[in-house]
């Protein structure tokens, strides 16, 4: 079975790589990670002063890297020697992030964990309080950790049939499991997420696209295609509302998404442009989102629709358990 899934996934990757990339159109490469220790970035949280926090996923020790606007590592926070499967980061106030040890590829853990970790310039070893979380309906795999501007934390699961958003209790007890509260469905195979600074919208991304939801209604507002990267998983939103993404892989690029693309997904009119001529309109592809929404590159819709599940399976089997 694994051989079949791997072969199907490889075929899917081949088909996708043969279609036009969507890295242009106003997206901007801000920098690439210069530190080879950042090899499987699965989260990206903008910090004050133009800094960013990121962490590797399963297989690394518990550490959070702080990088500057050139991509150089300027700080490392060591918070655990043996986490289970770290997958997410979320803002937690000045020079702090929530770290989500929430990965569970096989859906077997009775609980998952989060911890608030101090980050920033310099090397440090910290011993944060770790809070145990349990789902109300049994184990789930998850990679997306989000924090609303009011401070409440959320987990989005990475489920085949469709993910779910769960709220972490506002008051956490360090001495017993804390039960999550189910909020609403989200896109399947969610790999990361973030709230916008206004607190009225949030993003959930998959491998190939991101979807915008209104908060707190969780109505789907729009979506956009993310750039083609080795294994794009991470997304973050800066204090100015810029959306940034990155990928697993050594020296992966951090890319700022086109503001016009994001504004359209938010339902905001982008900068006025000249009305396309009939010939221009004829050349424009139908827009579709690889993860089930709109606003992606329509030329990819056919192949991706046929192999999306196989590709997702390929990625899951290649990730460490």
């Amino acid at each position: 079975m694994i051989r079949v899934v791997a072969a199907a996934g490889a075929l899917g990757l081949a088909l996708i790589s043969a279609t036009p990339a969507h890295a242009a159109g106003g997206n901007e490469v801000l920098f690439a990670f210069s530190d080879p220790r950042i090899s499987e970035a699965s989260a990206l949280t903008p910090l004050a002063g133009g800094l960013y926090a990121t962490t590797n996923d399963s297989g690394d020790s518990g550490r959070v890297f702080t990088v500057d606007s050139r991509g150089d590592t300027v700080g490392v926070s060591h918070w655990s020697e043996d986490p289970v499967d770290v997958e997410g980061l979320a803002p937690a106030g000045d020079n702090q992030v929530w770290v989500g040890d929430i990965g569970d590829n096989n859906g077997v853990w009775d609980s998952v964990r989060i911890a608030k970790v101090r980050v920033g310039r310099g090397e440090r070893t910290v011993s944060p309080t770790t809070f145990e979380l349990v789902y109300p309906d049994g184990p789930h795999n998850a990679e997306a950790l989000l924090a609303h501007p009011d401070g409440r934390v959320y987990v989005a699961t990475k489920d085949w049939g469709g993910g779910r958003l769960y709220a972490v209790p506002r008051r956490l007890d360090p001495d017993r499991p804390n039960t999550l509260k189910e909020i609403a469905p989200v896109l399947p195979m969610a790999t990361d997420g973030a709230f916008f600074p206004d607190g009225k919208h949030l993003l959930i991304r998959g491998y190939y696209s991101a979807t915008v939801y209104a908060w707190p209604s969780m109505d789907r507002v729009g979506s956009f295609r993310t750039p083609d990267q080795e294994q794009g998983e991470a997304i973050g939103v800066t204090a100015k509302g810029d959306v940034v993404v990155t990928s697993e892989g050594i020296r992966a690029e951090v890319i700022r998404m086109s503001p016009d693309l994001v504004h359209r997904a938010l339902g905001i009119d982008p900068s006025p442009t000249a009305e396309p001529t009939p010939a221009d309109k004829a050349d424009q592809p139908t827009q579709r989102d690889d993860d089930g929404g709109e606003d992606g590159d329509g030329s990819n819709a056919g192949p991706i629709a046929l192999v999306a599940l196989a590709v997702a399976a390929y990625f899951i089997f290649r990730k460490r358990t």
Side-chain angles (χ1 to χ4, degrees):
M1 177 61 183
I2 293 178
R3 290 181 179 178
V4 173
V5 171
L11 173 61
L13 289 174
L15 286 171
I16 290 170
S17 63
T19 57
H22 193 75
N27 296 341
E28 178 186 3
V29 176
L30 299 180
F31 57 83
F33 296 122
S34 63
D35 189 340
R37 294 176 297 175
I38 304 174
S39 58
E40 296 190 25
S42 64
L44 185 66
T45 295
L47 306 172
L51 302 178
Y52 296 82
T54 189
T55 187
N56 292 319
D57 67 7
S58 59
D60 198 5
S61 62
R63 55 183 175 175
V64 180
F65 298 89
T66 299
V67 301
D68 63 16
S69 58
R70 297 177 301 179
D72 297 331
T73 298
V74 295
V76 182
S77 296
H78 303 270
W79 67 275
S80 175
E81 293 184 357
D82 56 351
V84 177
D85 187 355
V86 176
E87 292 285 357
L89 296 177
D94 292 340
N95 295 318
Q96 295 185 99
V97 295
W98 286 104
V99 179
D101 190 0
I102 55 177
D104 185 4
N105 288 332
N106 296 319
V108 297
W109 304 121
D110 292 332
S111 63
V112 293
R113 292 144 297 280
I114 61 172
K116 187 183 290 186
V117 175
R118 180 162 293 280
V119 296
R121 295 180 182 273
E123 189 114 1
R124 59 179 58 80
T125 298
V126 297
S127 299
T129 301
T130 300
F131 300 97
E132 189 177 3
L133 308 177
V134 295
Y135 294 97
D137 54 347
H140 290 274
N141 185 30
E143 296 186 5
L145 192 69
L146 306 81
H148 190 274
D150 68 6
R152 191 161 192 183
V153 181
Y154 298 83
V155 177
T157 62
K158 185 181 181 183
D159 295 325
W160 286 93
R164 306 289 297 181
L165 185 71
Y166 292 83
V168 174
R170 290 187 183 277
R171 295 192 177 187
L172 289 165
D173 189 333
D175 299 320
R176 64 177 180 82
N178 298 268
T179 302
L180 298 166
K181 178 183 178 182
E182 185 174 333
I183 301 298
V186 294
L187 59 82
M189 305 305 292
T191 62
D192 202 4
F195 276 89
F196 282 87
D198 64 4
K200 298 178 180 179
H201 299 89
L202 64 122
L203 276 171
I204 302 290
R205 79 160 290 179
Y207 289 114
Y208 307 110
S209 68
T211 298
V212 178
Y213 298 90
W215 184 258
S217 70
M218 288 302 292
D219 292 332
R220 182 187 177 279
V221 177
S223 63
F224 55 85
R225 174 81 183 274
T226 52
D228 295 334
Q229 294 183 288
E230 179 176 330
Q231 188 170 325
E233 292 193 4
I235 198 165
V237 182
T238 70
K240 295 181 179 180
D242 289 333
V243 175
V244 289
V245 299
T246 194
S247 167
E248 293 191 4
I250 294 176
R251 294 181 175 81
E253 294 176 335
V254 171
I255 298 172
R256 185 187 73 147
M257 297 300 303
S258 161
D260 284 353
L261 197 66
V262 175
H263 288 166
R264 284 196 294 269
L266 285 165
I268 301 171
D269 289 335
S271 305
T273 56
E275 179 68 21
T277 66
D280 292 334
K281 291 180 179 179
D283 291 336
Q284 293 176 356
T286 301
Q287 302 296 300
R288 182 173 175 83
D289 176 354
D290 300 336
D291 289 309
E294 299 174 355
D295 302 331
D297 185 344
S299 59
N300 291 350
I304 292 176
L306 294 174
V307 301
L309 288 179
V311 173
Y314 171 79
F315 280 125
I316 285 197
F317 277 104
R318 67 172 280 196
K319 290 176 74 66
R320 298 186 182 97
T321 56

